[in-house]
Amino acid sequence: MVIHAGVVVVWVALFLLAFGQGGVFAWSVGLAYLVYDTVLQVFTGWQIRRITAARAAPHDTARSTLAVIVAAYNEATALPATLAALLDQDDPPDEILIADGGSTDGTSDLLVTQFGLTAPNLEGASAPKLVEATSIIWLRLRHGGKAHALNVALIATTADVVLTVDADTVPESRAIGAVRQAFSGEPELAGITGIITPVCRPSLSGRVLQWFQTYEYIRNFLGRYAWMRIDCLELISGAFSGFRRRAVIDVGGFDDICLVEDYELVHRMRRYAGERGLVWRFRVLGDAQARTEAPGSVPALLRQRRRWFGGFLQTQWWYRAMVGDQRMGRLGTLMLPIKAIDTVQPLYGLTAFVLLIVFVVTGRLGILGPVALVVVGKLVIDVAFRVWSVQMYRRWVGDPRRANLASEVVLTLVEPFTYQLLLYVGAVLGWFAFLGGEQRWGRQQRFGLPVGEAPRSS
Protein backbone atom coordinates (compact mmCIF):
# COMPACT_ATOMS: atom_id res chain seq x y z
CA MET A 1 0.00 0.00 0.00
CA VAL A 2 2.89 2.36 0.75
CA ILE A 3 4.27 1.83 -2.78
CA HIS A 4 0.86 2.40 -4.40
CA ALA A 5 0.25 5.55 -2.38
CA GLY A 6 3.76 6.81 -3.09
CA VAL A 7 3.37 6.38 -6.85
CA VAL A 8 0.04 8.25 -6.80
CA VAL A 9 1.55 11.09 -4.72
CA VAL A 10 4.44 11.35 -7.19
CA TRP A 11 1.95 11.45 -10.08
CA VAL A 12 0.04 14.33 -8.47
CA ALA A 13 3.29 16.25 -7.86
CA LEU A 14 4.50 15.71 -11.42
CA PHE A 15 1.12 16.63 -12.86
CA LEU A 16 1.09 19.93 -10.94
CA LEU A 17 4.41 20.86 -12.56
CA ALA A 18 2.53 21.18 -15.85
CA PHE A 19 0.90 24.33 -14.48
CA GLY A 20 3.95 25.88 -12.87
CA GLN A 21 6.91 24.96 -15.05
CA GLY A 22 8.06 25.86 -18.52
CA GLY A 23 10.18 23.81 -20.90
CA VAL A 24 10.41 20.07 -20.81
CA PHE A 25 9.77 19.77 -17.07
CA ALA A 26 6.17 20.85 -17.58
CA TRP A 27 5.81 17.35 -19.04
CA SER A 28 7.35 15.66 -16.00
CA VAL A 29 4.66 12.96 -15.91
CA GLY A 30 5.71 11.91 -19.41
CA LEU A 31 9.39 12.05 -18.50
CA ALA A 32 8.80 9.75 -15.52
CA TYR A 33 6.86 7.35 -17.75
CA LEU A 34 9.64 7.25 -20.36
CA VAL A 35 12.39 6.80 -17.76
CA TYR A 36 10.52 3.89 -16.15
CA ASP A 37 9.99 2.22 -19.54
CA THR A 38 13.66 2.68 -20.44
CA VAL A 39 14.83 1.11 -17.17
CA LEU A 40 12.68 -1.97 -17.89
CA GLN A 41 14.10 -2.11 -21.42
CA VAL A 42 17.65 -2.09 -20.07
CA PHE A 43 16.80 -4.88 -17.63
CA THR A 44 15.16 -7.00 -20.35
CA GLY A 45 18.00 -6.40 -22.79
CA TRP A 46 20.61 -7.46 -20.25
CA GLN A 47 18.77 -10.67 -19.44
CA ILE A 48 18.08 -11.73 -23.05
CA ARG A 49 21.47 -10.79 -24.48
CA ARG A 50 22.63 -14.42 -24.54
CA ILE A 51 19.32 -16.06 -25.29
CA THR A 52 19.63 -19.26 -27.31
CA ALA A 53 17.31 -21.68 -29.04
CA ALA A 54 15.66 -23.78 -26.35
CA ARG A 55 15.91 -27.37 -27.44
CA ALA A 56 15.85 -29.61 -24.40
CA ALA A 57 18.13 -32.63 -24.47
CA PRO A 58 16.78 -36.02 -23.37
CA HIS A 59 17.22 -36.80 -19.67
CA ASP A 60 17.96 -40.12 -18.03
CA THR A 61 14.97 -39.70 -15.73
CA ALA A 62 11.53 -41.20 -15.43
CA ARG A 63 9.15 -40.09 -18.16
CA SER A 64 6.37 -37.94 -16.70
CA THR A 65 2.83 -38.82 -17.69
CA LEU A 66 0.99 -35.85 -19.22
CA ALA A 67 -2.68 -35.00 -19.62
CA VAL A 68 -4.05 -32.10 -21.63
CA ILE A 69 -7.15 -30.37 -20.25
CA VAL A 70 -9.27 -28.47 -22.76
CA ALA A 71 -11.93 -26.38 -21.01
CA ALA A 72 -14.67 -25.73 -23.56
CA TYR A 73 -17.90 -23.76 -23.54
CA ASN A 74 -19.62 -23.42 -26.93
CA GLU A 75 -16.36 -23.99 -28.80
CA ALA A 76 -17.59 -26.21 -31.65
CA THR A 77 -15.96 -23.90 -34.20
CA ALA A 78 -12.54 -23.92 -32.58
CA LEU A 79 -12.29 -27.44 -31.11
CA PRO A 80 -11.58 -29.45 -34.28
CA ALA A 81 -8.29 -27.69 -35.02
CA THR A 82 -7.18 -27.84 -31.39
CA LEU A 83 -7.89 -31.55 -30.95
CA ALA A 84 -6.37 -32.39 -34.34
CA ALA A 85 -3.16 -30.57 -33.36
CA LEU A 86 -3.03 -32.33 -29.98
CA LEU A 87 -3.36 -35.73 -31.63
CA ASP A 88 -0.74 -34.89 -34.28
CA GLN A 89 2.12 -34.27 -31.85
CA ASP A 90 5.60 -35.74 -32.19
CA ASP A 91 5.15 -36.85 -28.59
CA PRO A 92 1.36 -37.04 -28.06
CA PRO A 93 -0.21 -36.64 -24.60
CA ASP A 94 -1.29 -39.68 -22.62
CA GLU A 95 -4.75 -38.21 -22.09
CA ILE A 96 -6.93 -35.42 -23.45
CA LEU A 97 -9.75 -34.39 -21.13
CA ILE A 98 -12.40 -32.22 -22.75
CA ALA A 99 -14.08 -30.40 -19.88
CA ASP A 100 -17.31 -29.31 -21.57
CA GLY A 101 -18.84 -26.70 -19.29
CA GLY A 102 -22.47 -26.87 -20.39
CA SER A 103 -22.12 -26.10 -24.10
CA THR A 104 -25.35 -25.41 -25.97
CA ASP A 105 -23.92 -25.22 -29.50
CA GLY A 106 -22.78 -28.18 -31.59
CA THR A 107 -19.99 -29.30 -29.25
CA SER A 108 -21.80 -32.50 -28.20
CA ASP A 109 -22.54 -33.52 -31.79
CA LEU A 110 -18.95 -32.80 -32.75
CA LEU A 111 -17.53 -35.04 -30.00
CA VAL A 112 -19.94 -37.85 -30.85
CA THR A 113 -19.77 -37.81 -34.65
CA GLN A 114 -16.21 -36.67 -35.34
CA PHE A 115 -14.37 -38.22 -32.40
CA GLY A 116 -16.56 -41.24 -31.68
CA LEU A 117 -17.19 -40.44 -28.02
CA THR A 118 -20.29 -41.64 -26.17
CA ALA A 119 -22.20 -38.82 -24.50
CA PRO A 120 -21.90 -39.19 -20.70
CA ASN A 121 -24.51 -38.22 -18.14
CA LEU A 122 -24.42 -34.67 -16.85
CA GLU A 123 -21.54 -34.28 -14.37
CA GLY A 124 -20.15 -37.57 -15.64
CA ALA A 125 -17.30 -38.77 -17.84
CA SER A 126 -17.38 -40.75 -21.06
CA ALA A 127 -15.55 -44.01 -21.51
CA PRO A 128 -12.00 -43.32 -22.79
CA LYS A 129 -11.65 -43.31 -26.56
CA LEU A 130 -8.17 -44.52 -27.54
CA VAL A 131 -6.69 -42.73 -30.57
CA GLU A 132 -3.33 -44.38 -31.14
CA ALA A 133 -1.47 -43.68 -27.85
CA THR A 134 -3.86 -41.05 -26.48
CA SER A 135 -7.04 -41.55 -24.46
CA ILE A 136 -9.75 -38.94 -25.05
CA ILE A 137 -12.28 -38.41 -22.25
CA TRP A 138 -15.33 -36.15 -22.37
CA LEU A 139 -16.34 -34.56 -19.07
CA ARG A 140 -19.90 -33.24 -19.42
CA LEU A 141 -20.42 -30.54 -16.81
CA ARG A 142 -22.90 -27.88 -15.83
CA HIS A 143 -21.88 -24.37 -16.81
CA GLY A 144 -19.75 -23.17 -13.91
CA GLY A 145 -16.89 -21.28 -15.55
CA LYS A 146 -13.42 -22.20 -16.74
CA ALA A 147 -11.86 -22.67 -13.30
CA HIS A 148 -14.59 -25.14 -12.29
CA ALA A 149 -14.08 -27.15 -15.47
CA LEU A 150 -10.32 -27.24 -14.94
CA ASN A 151 -10.69 -28.36 -11.34
CA VAL A 152 -13.01 -31.24 -12.25
CA ALA A 153 -10.54 -32.41 -14.90
CA LEU A 154 -7.65 -32.00 -12.47
CA ILE A 155 -9.23 -34.58 -10.18
CA ALA A 156 -10.34 -36.83 -13.04
CA THR A 157 -6.78 -37.55 -14.19
CA THR A 158 -3.85 -39.19 -12.44
CA ALA A 159 -1.16 -37.76 -14.76
CA ASP A 160 1.98 -36.25 -13.28
CA VAL A 161 1.66 -33.13 -15.43
CA VAL A 162 -1.43 -31.28 -16.61
CA LEU A 163 -1.31 -28.96 -19.60
CA THR A 164 -4.22 -26.54 -19.92
CA VAL A 165 -4.94 -25.62 -23.52
CA ASP A 166 -7.71 -23.22 -24.48
CA ALA A 167 -10.18 -24.57 -27.00
CA ASP A 168 -9.06 -21.93 -29.51
CA THR A 169 -5.32 -22.70 -29.17
CA VAL A 170 -3.37 -24.84 -31.65
CA PRO A 171 -0.03 -26.21 -30.37
CA GLU A 172 2.80 -26.84 -32.82
CA SER A 173 3.89 -30.44 -33.27
CA ARG A 174 6.88 -30.33 -30.86
CA ALA A 175 5.06 -28.48 -28.06
CA ILE A 176 3.81 -31.40 -25.94
CA GLY A 177 7.16 -33.17 -26.11
CA ALA A 178 8.96 -30.01 -24.97
CA VAL A 179 6.64 -29.69 -21.97
CA ARG A 180 6.96 -33.35 -21.00
CA GLN A 181 10.73 -33.25 -21.32
CA ALA A 182 11.01 -30.12 -19.18
CA PHE A 183 9.00 -31.61 -16.32
CA SER A 184 10.73 -35.00 -16.59
CA GLY A 185 14.17 -33.42 -16.38
CA GLU A 186 13.58 -30.93 -13.56
CA PRO A 187 11.89 -32.27 -10.41
CA GLU A 188 11.58 -28.74 -8.95
CA LEU A 189 9.67 -27.47 -11.98
CA ALA A 190 6.15 -26.52 -10.90
CA GLY A 191 4.81 -24.55 -13.85
CA ILE A 192 5.60 -23.55 -17.42
CA THR A 193 4.22 -21.30 -20.09
CA GLY A 194 4.70 -21.85 -23.78
CA ILE A 195 5.20 -19.14 -26.39
CA ILE A 196 1.96 -18.00 -27.99
CA THR A 197 1.40 -16.27 -31.34
CA PRO A 198 -1.91 -14.39 -31.73
CA VAL A 199 -4.10 -14.92 -34.80
CA CYS A 200 -7.10 -12.67 -35.50
CA ARG A 201 -10.15 -12.96 -37.71
CA PRO A 202 -9.16 -12.27 -41.37
CA SER A 203 -10.93 -8.90 -41.61
CA LEU A 204 -9.39 -5.44 -41.99
CA SER A 205 -9.59 -4.70 -38.27
CA GLY A 206 -8.40 -8.23 -37.54
CA ARG A 207 -5.29 -7.85 -39.70
CA VAL A 208 -4.42 -4.50 -38.11
CA LEU A 209 -4.91 -5.76 -34.56
CA GLN A 210 -3.00 -8.96 -35.31
CA TRP A 211 -0.07 -6.82 -36.46
CA PHE A 212 -0.02 -4.89 -33.20
CA GLN A 213 -0.64 -7.90 -30.97
CA THR A 214 2.00 -10.06 -32.66
CA TYR A 215 4.81 -7.70 -31.69
CA GLU A 216 3.24 -7.00 -28.30
CA TYR A 217 3.33 -10.75 -27.58
CA ILE A 218 6.96 -10.96 -28.72
CA ARG A 219 7.94 -8.23 -26.25
CA ASN A 220 5.85 -9.79 -23.49
CA PHE A 221 7.40 -13.24 -23.82
CA LEU A 222 10.90 -11.81 -23.96
CA GLY A 223 10.01 -9.94 -20.78
CA ARG A 224 8.88 -13.18 -19.15
CA TYR A 225 12.16 -14.80 -20.14
CA ALA A 226 14.03 -11.91 -18.52
CA TRP A 227 12.11 -12.26 -15.24
CA MET A 228 12.51 -16.04 -15.36
CA ARG A 229 16.28 -15.54 -15.43
CA ILE A 230 16.13 -14.14 -11.88
CA ASP A 231 13.42 -16.58 -10.72
CA CYS A 232 10.61 -14.01 -10.84
CA LEU A 233 8.33 -15.41 -13.53
CA GLU A 234 4.77 -14.94 -12.28
CA LEU A 235 2.63 -14.91 -15.44
CA ILE A 236 1.76 -18.30 -16.92
CA SER A 237 -0.51 -17.96 -19.96
CA GLY A 238 -3.67 -19.98 -19.36
CA ALA A 239 -4.11 -20.54 -23.09
CA PHE A 240 -1.10 -22.89 -23.02
CA SER A 241 0.25 -23.63 -19.54
CA GLY A 242 1.65 -26.69 -17.81
CA PHE A 243 1.69 -27.53 -14.10
CA ARG A 244 2.83 -30.35 -11.90
CA ARG A 245 -0.56 -31.74 -10.94
CA ARG A 246 0.27 -32.50 -7.32
CA ALA A 247 1.43 -28.92 -6.72
CA VAL A 248 -1.83 -27.45 -8.08
CA ILE A 249 -3.88 -29.80 -5.90
CA ASP A 250 -1.79 -28.91 -2.85
CA VAL A 251 -2.61 -25.21 -3.20
CA GLY A 252 -6.32 -25.81 -3.78
CA GLY A 253 -6.73 -25.85 -7.55
CA PHE A 254 -7.87 -23.03 -9.83
CA ASP A 255 -9.73 -20.07 -8.31
CA ASP A 256 -13.25 -19.53 -9.68
CA ILE A 257 -13.58 -15.90 -8.54
CA CYS A 258 -10.52 -14.18 -10.00
CA LEU A 259 -10.88 -12.77 -13.52
CA VAL A 260 -7.48 -14.30 -14.44
CA GLU A 261 -7.24 -17.73 -12.82
CA ASP A 262 -3.85 -18.49 -14.39
CA TYR A 263 -2.14 -15.38 -12.97
CA GLU A 264 -3.73 -15.87 -9.56
CA LEU A 265 -2.72 -19.54 -9.37
CA VAL A 266 0.97 -18.79 -9.82
CA HIS A 267 0.84 -16.21 -7.02
CA ARG A 268 -0.81 -18.76 -4.73
CA MET A 269 1.78 -21.37 -5.65
CA ARG A 270 4.59 -18.90 -5.06
CA ARG A 271 3.20 -17.97 -1.64
CA TYR A 272 2.68 -21.62 -0.69
CA ALA A 273 6.25 -22.56 -1.65
CA GLY A 274 7.78 -19.49 0.00
CA GLU A 275 6.00 -20.01 3.29
CA ARG A 276 7.10 -23.66 3.42
CA GLY A 277 10.63 -23.24 2.11
CA LEU A 278 9.90 -25.33 -1.02
CA VAL A 279 11.89 -24.96 -4.23
CA TRP A 280 9.32 -24.58 -7.00
CA ARG A 281 10.56 -23.31 -10.36
CA PHE A 282 8.60 -21.67 -13.18
CA ARG A 283 9.78 -21.54 -16.78
CA VAL A 284 8.88 -20.13 -20.18
CA LEU A 285 9.75 -22.71 -22.85
CA GLY A 286 10.96 -21.42 -26.19
CA ASP A 287 10.33 -24.75 -27.91
CA ALA A 288 6.73 -25.11 -26.69
CA GLN A 289 4.88 -22.94 -29.18
CA ALA A 290 1.22 -22.47 -30.08
CA ARG A 291 -1.16 -20.17 -31.93
CA THR A 292 -4.27 -18.78 -30.31
CA GLU A 293 -7.24 -16.75 -31.46
CA ALA A 294 -6.97 -13.11 -30.41
CA PRO A 295 -9.47 -10.23 -30.48
CA GLY A 296 -10.00 -8.96 -34.02
CA SER A 297 -12.05 -5.85 -33.22
CA VAL A 298 -11.61 -2.89 -30.90
CA PRO A 299 -14.61 -3.78 -28.65
CA ALA A 300 -13.34 -7.37 -28.30
CA LEU A 301 -9.82 -6.16 -27.49
CA LEU A 302 -11.13 -3.76 -24.84
CA ARG A 303 -13.21 -6.52 -23.25
CA GLN A 304 -10.16 -8.76 -23.08
CA ARG A 305 -7.87 -6.09 -21.66
CA ARG A 306 -10.51 -4.99 -19.16
CA ARG A 307 -10.60 -8.53 -17.82
CA TRP A 308 -6.84 -8.95 -17.89
CA PHE A 309 -6.10 -5.69 -16.08
CA GLY A 310 -9.00 -6.10 -13.68
CA GLY A 311 -7.75 -9.58 -12.80
CA PHE A 312 -4.21 -8.23 -12.45
CA LEU A 313 -5.50 -5.69 -9.91
CA GLN A 314 -7.49 -8.37 -8.07
CA THR A 315 -4.42 -10.55 -7.73
CA GLN A 316 -2.15 -7.70 -6.66
CA TRP A 317 -4.66 -6.77 -3.96
CA TRP A 318 -5.19 -10.32 -2.69
CA TYR A 319 -1.45 -11.00 -2.46
CA ARG A 320 -0.28 -7.57 -1.32
CA ALA A 321 1.26 -9.13 1.80
CA MET A 322 3.85 -10.84 -0.45
CA VAL A 323 5.32 -7.45 -1.42
CA GLY A 324 8.62 -7.12 0.43
CA ASP A 325 8.36 -10.62 1.95
CA GLN A 326 11.89 -12.02 1.83
CA ARG A 327 10.59 -15.59 1.98
CA MET A 328 9.43 -15.07 -1.60
CA GLY A 329 12.97 -14.24 -2.73
CA ARG A 330 13.39 -11.67 -5.49
CA LEU A 331 9.72 -12.07 -6.39
CA GLY A 332 8.79 -10.42 -3.10
CA THR A 333 11.60 -7.89 -2.89
CA LEU A 334 11.87 -6.85 -6.57
CA MET A 335 9.16 -8.13 -8.92
CA LEU A 336 6.05 -7.46 -6.84
CA PRO A 337 7.07 -3.90 -5.91
CA ILE A 338 7.50 -3.20 -9.62
CA LYS A 339 4.08 -4.73 -10.30
CA ALA A 340 2.66 -2.40 -7.64
CA ILE A 341 3.95 0.48 -9.76
CA ASP A 342 2.39 -1.09 -12.86
CA THR A 343 -1.08 -0.84 -11.33
CA VAL A 344 -1.00 2.93 -11.92
CA GLN A 345 1.44 3.03 -14.85
CA PRO A 346 -1.42 3.52 -17.37
CA LEU A 347 -2.42 6.64 -15.41
CA TYR A 348 1.00 8.12 -16.17
CA GLY A 349 0.73 7.20 -19.85
CA LEU A 350 -2.75 8.65 -20.30
CA THR A 351 -1.86 11.82 -18.43
CA ALA A 352 1.27 12.30 -20.52
CA PHE A 353 -0.74 11.99 -23.74
CA VAL A 354 -3.53 14.33 -22.56
CA LEU A 355 -0.97 16.94 -21.53
CA LEU A 356 0.58 16.80 -24.99
CA ILE A 357 -2.84 17.46 -26.53
CA VAL A 358 -3.37 20.39 -24.16
CA PHE A 359 0.03 21.85 -25.03
CA VAL A 360 -0.79 21.61 -28.75
CA VAL A 361 -4.28 23.14 -28.39
CA THR A 362 -3.02 26.00 -26.22
CA GLY A 363 -0.01 26.62 -28.48
CA ARG A 364 2.62 26.25 -25.76
CA LEU A 365 5.51 25.95 -28.20
CA GLY A 366 8.10 26.60 -25.50
CA ILE A 367 7.11 23.25 -24.00
CA LEU A 368 6.40 21.31 -27.19
CA GLY A 369 9.85 21.87 -28.69
CA PRO A 370 11.87 20.29 -25.85
CA VAL A 371 9.25 17.57 -25.36
CA ALA A 372 9.43 16.69 -29.05
CA LEU A 373 13.20 16.22 -28.76
CA VAL A 374 12.72 13.88 -25.79
CA VAL A 375 10.00 11.88 -27.59
CA VAL A 376 12.10 11.55 -30.75
CA GLY A 377 15.08 10.42 -28.69
CA LYS A 378 12.98 7.79 -26.93
CA LEU A 379 11.60 6.56 -30.25
CA VAL A 380 15.14 6.12 -31.57
CA ILE A 381 16.01 4.06 -28.50
CA ASP A 382 12.82 2.02 -28.89
CA VAL A 383 13.43 1.29 -32.56
CA ALA A 384 16.99 0.12 -31.91
CA PHE A 385 15.98 -2.01 -28.94
CA ARG A 386 12.98 -3.62 -30.60
CA VAL A 387 14.79 -4.48 -33.84
CA TRP A 388 17.55 -6.10 -31.79
CA SER A 389 15.05 -7.88 -29.51
CA VAL A 390 13.19 -9.35 -32.50
CA GLN A 391 16.45 -10.94 -33.59
CA MET A 392 16.93 -12.34 -30.08
CA TYR A 393 13.39 -13.71 -30.28
CA ARG A 394 14.14 -15.39 -33.61
CA ARG A 395 17.17 -17.04 -32.06
CA TRP A 396 15.11 -18.19 -29.08
CA VAL A 397 12.29 -19.79 -31.05
CA GLY A 398 14.69 -21.21 -33.62
CA ASP A 399 13.11 -19.44 -36.59
CA PRO A 400 15.22 -16.83 -38.43
CA ARG A 401 12.17 -15.69 -40.44
CA ARG A 402 9.81 -15.06 -37.51
CA ALA A 403 8.42 -11.50 -37.47
CA ASN A 404 9.53 -8.70 -39.76
CA LEU A 405 12.09 -6.05 -38.86
CA ALA A 406 10.64 -3.34 -41.12
CA SER A 407 7.19 -3.90 -39.63
CA GLU A 408 8.65 -3.60 -36.14
CA VAL A 409 10.18 -0.22 -37.02
CA VAL A 410 6.92 1.15 -38.41
CA LEU A 411 4.91 -0.24 -35.50
CA THR A 412 7.28 1.28 -32.93
CA LEU A 413 6.74 4.73 -34.46
CA VAL A 414 2.93 4.58 -34.62
CA GLU A 415 2.07 2.45 -31.58
CA PRO A 416 2.43 5.16 -28.87
CA PHE A 417 -0.27 7.25 -30.57
CA THR A 418 -2.64 4.42 -31.54
CA TYR A 419 -2.59 0.91 -30.07
CA GLN A 420 -1.00 1.98 -26.79
CA LEU A 421 -3.92 4.33 -26.16
CA LEU A 422 -6.32 1.39 -26.56
CA LEU A 423 -4.36 -0.50 -23.92
CA TYR A 424 -4.64 2.48 -21.57
CA VAL A 425 -8.40 2.56 -22.08
CA GLY A 426 -8.56 -1.19 -21.41
CA ALA A 427 -6.63 -0.63 -18.18
CA VAL A 428 -9.05 2.10 -17.09
CA LEU A 429 -11.96 -0.26 -17.76
CA GLY A 430 -10.07 -2.87 -15.75
CA TRP A 431 -9.93 -0.47 -12.81
CA PHE A 432 -13.72 -0.05 -13.03
CA ALA A 433 -14.16 -3.84 -13.22
CA PHE A 434 -11.92 -4.30 -10.16
CA LEU A 435 -13.54 -1.57 -8.09
CA GLY A 436 -17.01 -2.80 -9.09
CA GLY A 437 -16.23 -6.39 -8.11
CA GLU A 438 -16.75 -7.73 -11.63
CA GLN A 439 -16.30 -11.51 -11.96
CA ARG A 440 -17.35 -12.27 -15.52
CA TRP A 441 -15.30 -13.08 -18.57
CA GLY A 442 -17.15 -11.71 -21.57
CA ARG A 443 -17.31 -13.80 -24.72
CA GLN A 444 -15.06 -13.72 -27.75
CA GLN A 445 -16.53 -14.86 -31.05
CA ARG A 446 -14.42 -17.68 -32.51
CA PHE A 447 -13.65 -18.14 -36.18
CA GLY A 448 -11.62 -21.38 -35.93
CA LEU A 449 -7.90 -21.69 -36.51
CA PRO A 450 -6.56 -23.98 -39.22
CA VAL A 451 -4.02 -26.63 -38.28
CA GLY A 452 -0.55 -25.78 -39.51
CA GLU A 453 2.58 -23.79 -38.88
CA ALA A 454 2.53 -20.38 -37.26
CA PRO A 455 1.96 -17.58 -39.79
CA ARG A 456 4.74 -15.19 -40.70
CA SER A 457 4.23 -11.64 -39.52
CA SER A 458 4.16 -8.93 -42.15
Side-chain angles (χ1 to χ4, degrees):
M1 291 300 295
V2 173
I3 296 175
H4 292 86
V7 176
V8 172
V9 169
V10 170
W11 170 79
V12 172
L14 295 176
F15 177 71
L16 292 176
L17 289 177
F19 303 96
Q21 286 284 331
V24 71
F25 289 104
W27 198 58
S28 293
V29 174
L31 295 179
Y33 177 85
L34 296 183
V35 168
Y36 178 69
D37 185 68
T38 302
V39 169
L40 291 181
Q41 278 185 340
V42 170
F43 165 76
T44 300
W46 181 256
Q47 296 298 334
I48 69 174
R49 71 193 188 282
R50 294 174 182 164
I51 201 169
T52 57
R55 296 289 178 264
H59 297 277
D60 295 328
T61 56
R63 174 183 168 89
S64 297
T65 55
L66 185 147
V68 174
I69 302 174
V70 181
Y73 175 63
N74 290 343
E75 299 285 8
T77 302
L79 264 177
T82 299
L83 294 178
L86 289 172
L87 292 170
D88 193 33
Q89 293 287 305
D90 296 344
D91 180 6
D94 300 293
E95 283 183 326
I96 299 175
L97 296 99
I98 305 165
D100 175 17
S103 295
T104 57
D105 64 348
T107 297
S108 294
D109 291 339
L110 170 73
L111 295 176
V112 171
T113 59
Q114 188 166 333
F115 293 94
L117 295 169
T118 302
N121 295 327
L122 191 61
E123 299 298 319
S126 71
K129 173 72 174 181
L130 192 63
V131 179
E132 296 185 1
T134 302
S135 294
I136 305 178
I137 300 173
W138 175 10
L139 304 173
R140 189 162 167 255
L141 312 173
R142 292 184 176 86
H143 183 50
K146 181 181 180 182
H148 170 70
L150 293 174
N151 285 331
V152 173
L154 192 68
I155 301 301
T157 183
T158 59
D160 302 318
V161 175
V162 291
L163 181 66
T164 67
V165 175
D166 280 358
D168 60 349
T169 299
V170 176
E172 294 188 12
S173 59
R174 296 176 299 187
I176 303 296
V179 173
R180 191 198 300 271
Q181 213 162 51
F183 278 100
S184 298
E186 188 175 357
E188 296 84 11
L189 188 60
I192 66 93
T193 180
I195 292 181
I196 298 172
T197 299
V199 181
C200 297
R201 185 182 299 274
S203 62
L204 177 59
S205 64
R207 287 192 291 271
V208 172
L209 287 176
Q210 180 174 315
W211 181 54
F212 281 114
Q213 291 177 87
T214 295
Y215 292 93
E216 179 194 13
Y217 277 45
I218 288 174
R219 294 195 300 273
N220 287 347
F221 280 101
L222 286 172
R224 294 182 201 183
Y225 177 90
W227 287 112
M228 179 196 73
R229 292 273 298 165
I230 60 171
D231 194 26
C232 286
L233 179 63
E234 62 169 357
L235 180 53
I236 302 292
S237 299
F240 187 83
S241 59
F243 298 96
R244 202 168 293 279
R245 176 176 168 271
R246 186 69 254 171
V248 178
I249 291 175
D250 286 346
V251 302
F254 293 88
D255 186 273
D256 60 358
I257 296 178
C258 189
L259 291 165
V260 282
E261 77 291 327
D262 46 1
Y263 189 65
E264 187 279 335
L265 175 62
V266 176
H267 279 72
R268 190 153 25 99
M269 294 176 74
R270 287 281 196 176
R271 183 180 65 182
Y272 182 94
E275 290 175 346
R276 290 161 178 78
L278 303 175
V279 179
W280 283 2
R281 305 293 185 195
F282 296 84
R283 305 280 186 227
V284 53
L285 303 182
D287 49 350
Q289 300 173 29
R291 294 173 293 135
T292 193
E293 287 192 32
S297 68
V298 170
L301 178 71
L302 291 179
R303 285 195 299 271
Q304 181 197 64
R305 299 314 169 98
R306 177 200 65 198
R307 180 175 66 83
W308 283 6
F309 203 83
F312 163 65
L313 295 172
Q314 275 183 322
T315 305
Q316 294 303 119
W317 175 250
W318 291 352
Y319 295 95
R320 61 192 181 277
M322 291 171 62
V323 179
D325 190 337
Q326 295 185 357
R327 294 176 300 174
M328 309 300 152
R330 288 175 177 163
L331 184 79
T333 58
L334 178 62
M335 177 59 152
L336 290 178
I338 288 175
K339 285 302 175 183
I341 296 173
D342 284 347
T343 60
V344 293
Q345 185 246 20
L347 179 64
Y348 278 70
L350 272 178
T351 305
F353 182 78
V354 170
L355 284 175
L356 282 180
I357 298 299
V358 171
F359 295 154
V360 170
V361 171
T362 58
R364 299 173 69 177
L365 300 181
I367 297 174
L368 287 174
V371 167
L373 291 177
V374 171
V375 171
V376 169
K378 182 62 166 71
L379 286 175
V380 170
I381 294 172
D382 287 348
V383 167
F385 174 77
R386 291 186 180 183
V387 167
W388 173 77
S389 64
V390 164
Q391 298 189 69
M392 296 299 101
Y393 182 80
R394 288 172 167 177
R395 180 191 300 178
W396 186 28
V397 300
D399 184 352
R401 297 176 297 166
R402 187 72 61 91
N404 182 285
L405 298 182
S407 286
E408 178 67 284
V409 171
V410 174
L411 179 139
T412 301
L413 297 176
V414 303
E415 185 183 54
F417 313 103
T418 53
Y419 183 69
Q420 191 64 49
L421 297 179
L422 286 178
L423 300 186
Y424 293 152
V425 173
V428 170
L429 295 175
W431 264 106
F432 283 120
F434 167 65
L435 295 174
E438 184 172 341
Q439 297 173 12
R440 59 188 175 86
W441 274 54
R443 289 285 296 159
Q444 178 181 329
Q445 296 299 316
R446 311 299 189 196
F447 64 91
L449 285 175
V451 180
E453 293 301 316
R456 306 294 176 198
S457 301
S458 58

